[in-house]
Amino acid sequence: MIISEPKLRTFTQQVFLSIGCSKAHAELAADVLLKSDLRGIDSHGLARLAGYVRLWDKKRINSTPDIKIVHETPTTATVDGDAGLGLVVAPFAMQIAIEKAEKYGSGWVSVRNSNHFGIAGYHGLMAVEKDMIGFAMTNASPLVAPTFSNEKMLGTNPMCYAFPAGKHAPVIVDMATSAAANGKLEIAQRSGKQVPEGWIQDKQGAYTTDPHALKSGGSLLPLGSDRDHGSHKGFGLSATVDILSAVLSGANYGPWVPPFVAFMDPAPNPPGLGIGHFLGAMRVDGFRPVADFKADMDNWIERFKSASRVDEAQPVIIPGEPELEAEAIRIKEGIPLVDAVVKDLNELAVRFGLEGL
Amino acid sequence: MIISEPKLRTFTQQVFLSIGCSKAHAELAADVLLKSDLRGIDSHGLARLAGYVRLWDKKRINSTPDIKIVHETPTTATVDGDAGLGLVVAPFAMQIAIEKAEKYGSGWVSVRNSNHFGIAGYHGLMAVEKDMIGFAMTNASPLVAPTFSNEKMLGTNPMCYAFPAGKHAPVIVDMATSAAANGKLEIAQRSGKQVPEGWIQDKQGAYTTDPHALKSGGSLLPLGSDRDHGSHKGFGLSATVDILSAVLSGANYGPWVPPFVAFMDPAPNPPGLGIGHFLGAMRVDGFRPVADFKADMDNWIERFKSASRVDEAQPVIIPGEPELEAEAIRIKEGIPLVDAVVKDLNELAVRFGLEGL
């Protein structure tokens, strides 16, 4: 089912208003979710809307948060999200980073007491629009085992680095630090397909290609998959995200990060508050004139796109390019939603007395 | 051959003095190199000393550089290394980042016109000693092909993230963004062993286990190894290092990064100056009290060390732990050098009239 972006946007805003969000928060949260669907990252868009509502039902999401700075220097801050939607807490924090960067060249904000923040790329792009370099990271519910372990200790903990370019689109690196994102696993689960070796291990720590292994005690593997191929590096990157997002802010880290799903209870005796994010912005002109940087970015992009190909039909893909192509198509043609998501959304419509899709 | 650390330190300082370095630069450069050997990263220590001298012979390393800030804001700067040793240029830049962080909470320095900077961890640790979080990256001679390409376009471009802890040792993530570091390949080349599939591809872009393939048109693969296992993520990380280090500073990037070996000439028509680094420091107490952060770091480390094991004999390794163990042993017992390195060093001794090893 393909639905136009404006129709979905209005619907999503109405759902957020229905759980008590302010108009400004409902519009912002809808913008973050829609950006994900527009960019083709279906796992982080409207597919999650019903899940946010279920967490609100359980009082684990506060729809009227008092988001505030609890500690700061001219270029650093810690923000407490008051258990609000990450979809509004993270842009609030990135806005602070941008304002600090405007004054002092750079700004860095660690966030505690938040929830799932959508796609990291949304927040990175906020900086790019100001001719800044954006950093965005978040920790997440534990699904990934460190190298040599079979215990779920880390989330898929994404990192985003976002760079403005000149005549070309910005370069947006936005990636889970696990070998495969959970969304890819969910697609395999739904379609009954096996997954490549190196994505997951079973309860005992043996490789498996069964995408359902995660539900029976298995775990995702870090980027690199095994020690020989650098899984300790994927673990190190994921640890970096966890520390910058949560140890630095006073959020929960490691296995204590609260689950994103309402049917699983948070771990007992958590060391911190909610989940954590880390957001940063650096002015390009804090290092060199913007025009010079953009000219070199364009040259960088062109040189990499023209790199020699293994398969003549497949050029090198610049980070962010597939998402931009998806966005151009979906703005025009609408957003495709799978039946399960449409069903979820129509149930929300009935519950809140909204017009269904 | 095992040689004591003080003896090697004096020898290394004398070599740097012999090529015209100041006393301060010779001591600093030797400190960076020795730190690598002490920490067990043999590929980045004294094994490279003769190579630096060969680059100086070719006038590609300037032993008396005028290292200076060419652009800055309160928390950002671009440093021109004047073709100096990266071993002295990078600590100079990190010192600026630390001083900016002392005043404003954070400091970020992009560096152009530099050379190989040793191990990234050295520079990250400079920040950790000040209760700051350290970032250190550098681009490097092209050896790695992006996903879908068979062309050497990127270096093994390491990233380092360094975090102080309390009673435990700091967490130091210091990793090449390729599936395997070039040093590991060199070990396989010397010992005549095959390497695992997923480290390198041949000239046509087919996987090979022959470690010599790199010399006949082959290339290293990004972390993730292939598209299914996330090589586009390794490419994205490597691109991030390249852009922060070189596009931001005005250094050379991508395939234009000058080779680390003197027998290969730099590419014609380079877009920038030398190689690039990126260094950053953030005060921990810019986010929360240092004691609180360190207590949570200790808890993080203990929880991860006690994670459930796949093999009872092999616990989870905290990033930085193996290097610290090597350092404790080598400070006491001396540094083992392979015959080829001892031969190189003794040739330098003869050339410069120094006492041999």
Side-chain angles (χ1 to χ4, degrees):
Chain A
M1 189 168 174
I2 295 179
I3 306 175
S4 79
E5 187 262 358
K7 181 173 178 181
L8 282 174
R9 183 177 293 269
T10 305
F11 178 84
T12 307
Q13 290 172 356
Q14 286 174 328
V15 170
F16 284 124
L17 288 170
S18 300
I19 65 170
C21 291
S22 69
K23 186 159 178 292
H25 280 185
E27 285 175 5
L28 177 56
D31 195 51
V32 180
L33 278 194
L34 264 290
K35 191 75 169 175
S36 177
D37 285 306
L38 284 173
R39 287 172 73 82
I41 310 165
D42 299 339
S43 55
H44 284 55
L46 289 186
R48 287 190 176 266
L49 184 56
Y52 294 130
V53 174
R54 284 191 291 268
L55 286 169
W56 172 77
D57 281 330
K58 288 235 175 179
K59 302 197 189 325
R60 282 160 56 185
I61 283 179
N62 173 7
S63 59
T64 57
D66 177 19
I67 309 166
K68 56 174 184 273
I69 295 175
V70 293
H71 190 110
E72 71 178 316
T73 70
T75 68
T76 63
T78 295
V79 160
D80 188 306
D82 195 21
L85 286 160
L87 307 172
V88 300
V89 174
F92 177 96
M94 182 52 111
Q95 188 55 40
I96 292 166
I98 288 170
E99 283 165 18
K100 287 176 176 294
E102 278 166 354
K103 282 190 200 151
Y104 299 101
S106 69
W108 307 89
V109 181
S110 191
V111 179
R112 72 185 191 204
N113 207 3
S114 187
N115 283 285
H116 190 270
F117 79 3
I119 49 169
Y122 182 93
H123 315 297
L125 275 165
M126 286 176 66
V128 166
E129 282 160 18
K130 304 280 186 181
D131 281 341
M132 296 182 183
I133 294 170
F135 290 56
M137 305 177 186
T138 186
N139 69 3
S141 320
L143 291 173
V144 179
T147 306
F148 300 129
S149 175
N150 56 357
E151 186 175 357
K152 293 185 187 82
M153 295 287 286
L154 291 155
T156 53
N157 295 4
M159 285 186 155
C160 169
Y161 301 96
F163 304 96
K167 63 186 170 191
H168 295 292
V171 172
I172 312 289
V173 177
D174 181 2
M175 47 171 271
T177 52
S178 49
N182 194 35
K184 286 197 182 174
L185 214 70
E186 288 168 350
I187 292 168
Q189 285 163 353
R190 277 197 297 271
S191 63
K193 286 192 182 145
Q194 300 291 294
V195 298
E197 230 177 52
W199 285 17
I200 47 174
Q201 60 186 358
D202 66 16
K203 195 175 179 175
Q204 280 74 40
Y207 269 0
T208 172
T209 58
D210 173 10
H212 298 285
L214 208 58
K215 292 171 183 164
S216 48
S219 43
L220 287 172
L221 294 165
L223 177 58
S225 299
D226 63 22
R227 183 66 177 73
D228 261 358
H229 294 85
S231 68
H232 55 299
K233 300 178 183 182
F235 167 41
L237 293 169
S238 186
T240 296
V241 173
D242 202 33
I243 295 170
L244 289 173
S245 302
V247 179
L248 194 55
S249 65
N252 291 301
Y253 43 79
W256 290 289
V257 178
F260 289 148
V261 288
F263 65 83
M264 284 176 69
D265 287 328
N269 306 316
L273 294 168
I275 80 162
H277 317 310
F278 181 72
L279 300 142
M282 298 192 304
R283 290 170 69 135
V284 165
D285 66 3
F287 298 91
R288 65 188 299 209
V290 170
D292 294 356
F293 176 82
K294 288 187 172 178
D296 269 322
M297 280 301 295
D298 285 342
N299 188 40
W300 191 97
I301 291 165
E302 286 160 23
R303 183 65 186 85
F304 276 81
K305 281 177 80 80
S306 68
S308 166
R309 304 174 185 184
V310 174
D311 169 357
E312 270 312 308
Q314 177 61 65
V316 166
I317 297 175
I318 303 299
E321 213 175 28
E323 292 82 1
L324 197 79
E325 283 167 14
E327 197 167 354
I329 293 169
R330 290 182 172 195
I331 282 179
K332 216 188 299 175
E333 300 180 2
I335 293 167
L337 296 178
V338 298
D339 292 348
V341 171
V342 175
K343 183 168 166 285
D344 268 3
L345 298 178
N346 278 329
E347 283 172 10
L348 291 175
V350 171
R351 173 174 174 185
F352 294 124
L354 308 172
E355 192 184 337
L357 296 174
Chain B
M1 189 167 173
I2 295 179
I3 305 174
S4 79
E5 187 262 357
K7 182 172 177 183
L8 281 176
R9 183 177 294 269
T10 305
F11 179 84
T12 307
Q13 289 171 356
Q14 287 173 328
V15 170
F16 284 123
L17 288 170
S18 301
I19 65 170
C21 292
S22 69
K23 185 158 178 292
H25 279 186
E27 285 175 5
L28 177 56
D31 195 51
V32 180
L33 277 194
L34 264 291
K35 191 75 171 178
S36 177
D37 284 307
L38 284 173
R39 287 172 73 82
I41 309 163
D42 299 339
S43 55
H44 284 55
L46 290 185
R48 288 189 175 266
L49 183 56
Y52 293 131
V53 173
R54 284 190 292 268
L55 286 170
W56 171 77
D57 282 330
K58 289 237 176 180
K59 303 198 189 322
R60 283 160 55 184
I61 283 178
N62 173 6
S63 60
T64 56
D66 177 19
I67 310 166
K68 57 172 184 273
I69 295 175
V70 292
H71 190 110
E72 70 179 318
T73 69
T75 68
T76 64
T78 295
V79 159
D80 188 305
D82 195 22
L85 286 159
L87 307 171
V88 301
V89 175
F92 177 97
M94 183 52 113
Q95 189 56 39
I96 293 167
I98 288 170
E99 284 164 17
K100 287 177 177 291
E102 278 166 354
K103 282 189 201 152
Y104 299 101
S106 70
W108 306 89
V109 181
S110 192
V111 180
R112 71 184 191 204
N113 207 1
S114 188
N115 282 286
H116 191 268
F117 79 3
I119 49 167
Y122 182 93
H123 314 296
L125 274 165
M126 286 176 66
V128 166
E129 282 160 17
K130 305 280 186 180
D131 282 342
M132 295 180 184
I133 294 170
F135 289 57
M137 306 177 185
T138 186
N139 70 2
S141 322
L143 291 173
V144 179
T147 306
F148 301 127
S149 174
N150 55 357
E151 185 174 358
K152 294 185 186 82
M153 295 285 288
L154 292 155
T156 53
N157 295 3
M159 285 185 155
C160 169
Y161 301 96
F163 305 96
K167 63 185 170 193
H168 294 293
V171 172
I172 313 289
V173 177
D174 181 2
M175 48 171 270
T177 52
S178 49
N182 194 34
K184 286 196 180 173
L185 214 69
E186 288 168 351
I187 292 169
Q189 286 164 352
R190 278 197 296 272
S191 63
K193 286 190 183 147
Q194 300 291 295
V195 297
E197 228 176 53
W199 286 17
I200 46 174
Q201 61 186 358
D202 67 17
K203 196 175 178 177
Q204 281 73 39
Y207 270 0
T208 172
T209 59
D210 173 10
H212 298 284
L214 209 57
K215 291 171 184 164
S216 47
S219 43
L220 288 171
L221 294 164
L223 176 58
S225 299
D226 63 22
R227 182 65 178 74
D228 261 357
H229 295 85
S231 67
H232 56 297
K233 300 178 184 184
F235 167 41
L237 293 169
S238 187
T240 296
V241 173
D242 202 32
I243 295 170
L244 289 173
S245 301
V247 179
L248 194 55
S249 66
N252 292 301
Y253 44 81
W256 291 289
V257 178
F260 290 147
V261 288
F263 65 83
M264 284 176 70
D265 286 328
N269 306 315
L273 294 168
I275 79 162
H277 317 311
F278 180 73
L279 300 143
M282 298 193 303
R283 290 170 70 135
V284 165
D285 66 4
F287 298 91
R288 63 188 298 209
V290 170
D292 294 356
F293 176 83
K294 289 187 172 178
D296 269 321
M297 280 301 295
D298 285 342
N299 188 41
W300 190 98
I301 291 165
E302 286 161 23
R303 183 63 186 86
F304 276 81
K305 281 178 81 78
S306 68
S308 167
R309 304 175 186 183
V310 174
D311 169 357
E312 269 313 306
Q314 177 61 65
V316 166
I317 297 174
I318 303 299
E321 213 175 30
E323 292 82 1
L324 198 79
E325 284 166 13
E327 195 166 355
I329 293 169
R330 290 182 172 194
I331 282 179
K332 215 187 301 174
E333 300 179 3
I335 292 167
L337 296 177
V338 298
D339 292 346
V341 171
V342 174
K343 182 169 166 286
D344 268 2
L345 297 178
N346 279 329
E347 283 172 11
L348 290 176
V350 170
R351 171 173 175 184
F352 295 124
L354 308 172
E355 193 184 335
L357 297 175

